[in-house]
Amino acid sequence: MNHLVFQTDFGLVDGAVSAMYGVAYSVHPQLNIHDLTHDITPYNIWEASYRLIQTIRYWPQGTVFVSVVDPGVGSDRKSVVVKTASGHYIVTPDNGTLTHVIRFDGIEEVREIDENVNRLPRSGESYTFHGRDVYAYTGARLASGIIDFSQVGPVRDIDSLVRLPIIEPRLEGNAVCGTIDVLDVRFGSLWTNIPRTLFLQTGTAYGDRVSITIENDTRCVYRNIIQFAKSFADVYVGEALAYVNSLDCVAVAINQGSFARAYNIGTGNSWRIRIEPFKGF
């Protein structure tokens, strides 16, 4: 019996998530069901992809993740289950949700869900709630051992999986450039795609000042000099800082404040950040 972990953009204000739980427990009442999050920004496939890679590696091998952020539900997009290089399973629409897992973890095998077998019985002709009728049902059958991975459906080519575009971080002279991938939502910190190892090639050490520039497709949103700190305690309350987040990438925050809210900053490839050592005026 493996863990079953749900992620959606459904929220908890109606019965959608509860219905998925009910389907899973109907498959096997002793399942161990958990929530990754149900607060993905509606329709935001990129965010769903990022939250998976943020989380899966910390769960035991064999854990089954069901990720449902599916603006194309009812279309010709495929439904898949993948086995990752780390030994986890992800049940999801093939719409780009697996982008970061492909990039940072790797996938060993892909199977397309055979809905003639792996679909909730008597779910009728509804094509708008595959999270309940296909993904929760298939994930529960896989996690409980009622089916094994080979019984999900036919094998698919890994290279056929849909990928969202990723802009690789890079050095430009003594500066490092990247994108703001996602927010630390509750606290408003900006999580970039710049790994610590690349950032340190600029020669920056803890306690140094760095010049930060943040732009979107239309304008420069933020430009300032801030400290590269080991922790929030290294700066005053209300002061901005750069730090290394829990994924070993550079992040930008305000101590006990929301950087994203203060400067109205979003996420994705259109939000670019440049960091360079500050040498003084």
Side-chain angles (χ1 to χ4, degrees):
M1 187 76 64
N2 288 308
H3 298 283
L4 181 63
V5 182
F6 286 148
Q7 168 178 274
T8 74
D9 59 353
F10 297 163
L12 295 172
V13 296
D14 66 11
V17 172
S18 182
M20 292 174 64
Y21 266 69
V23 165
Y25 281 129
S26 296
V27 168
H28 200 298
Q30 293 180 330
L31 273 169
N32 298 309
I33 306 177
H34 314 269
D35 297 310
L36 194 162
T37 180
H38 297 291
D39 288 324
I40 298 293
T41 303
Y43 318 119
N44 194 323
I45 298 167
W46 176 273
E47 188 177 332
S49 174
Y50 198 95
R51 295 305 179 200
L52 284 172
I53 199 60
Q54 178 186 357
T55 306
I56 62 172
R57 65 188 67 173
Y58 300 105
W59 281 81
Q61 287 189 353
T63 298
V64 177
F65 292 84
V66 173
S67 179
V68 189
V69 178
D70 194 14
V73 63
S75 69
D76 60 357
R77 64 96 184 91
K78 304 299 184 182
S79 298
V80 298
V81 182
V82 302
K83 182 180 181 181
T84 71
S86 56
H88 302 89
Y89 298 94
I90 304 173
V91 185
T92 188
D94 179 21
N95 59 6
T97 297
L98 295 165
T99 297
H100 288 87
V101 173
I102 295 168
R103 172 68 176 79
F104 296 106
D105 195 2
I107 290 176
E108 288 188 354
E109 189 174 337
V110 184
R111 289 185 175 269
E112 185 175 337
I113 297 175
D114 181 355
E115 293 187 22
N116 293 316
V117 178
N118 293 303
R119 182 184 172 100
L120 180 67
R122 299 177 298 282
S123 54
E125 293 295 317
S126 173
Y127 295 96
T128 60
F129 199 177
H130 285 175
R132 176 195 64 195
D133 299 338
V134 179
Y135 302 134
Y137 183 70
T138 302
R141 282 161 60 81
L142 184 60
S144 64
I146 291 175
I147 61 171
D148 61 29
F149 186 49
S150 68
Q151 295 172 292
V152 166
V155 174
R156 279 189 56 192
D157 185 354
I158 294 173
D159 291 336
S160 71
L161 289 170
V162 175
R163 295 165 170 82
L164 303 175
I166 289 180
I167 297 176
E168 297 291 343
R170 65 195 185 280
L171 289 171
E172 288 187 358
N174 66 340
V176 63
C177 301
T179 56
I180 299 169
D181 272 357
V182 76
L183 301 180
D184 185 358
V185 179
R186 186 167 178 82
F187 300 103
S189 305
L190 316 181
W191 284 19
T192 79
N193 69 335
I194 301 170
R196 173 184 54 85
T197 51
L198 182 65
F199 173 68
L200 293 180
Q201 291 182 39
T202 65
T204 304
Y206 288 123
D208 290 350
R209 310 293 284 184
V210 293
S211 173
I212 302 279
T213 303
I214 299 173
E215 300 175 327
N216 59 22
D217 288 337
T218 60
R219 63 191 177 94
C220 178
V221 178
Y222 179 84
R223 182 179 288 124
N224 209 344
I225 311 300
I226 65 176
Q227 183 178 335
F228 174 49
K230 184 174 291 187
S231 72
F232 290 81
D234 292 340
V235 302
Y236 293 111
V237 172
E239 185 178 353
L241 69 151
Y243 67 100
V244 176
N245 68 13
S246 59
L247 296 183
D248 209 28
C249 289
V250 177
V252 180
I254 294 174
N255 187 11
Q256 297 187 34
S258 171
F259 199 106
R261 189 179 303 114
Y263 298 101
N264 197 26
I265 292 175
T267 63
N269 287 338
S270 63
W271 287 87
R272 299 176 296 279
I273 185 168
R274 177 184 176 92
I275 310 174
E276 56 188 319
F278 176 64
K279 301 302 184 182
F281 297 105

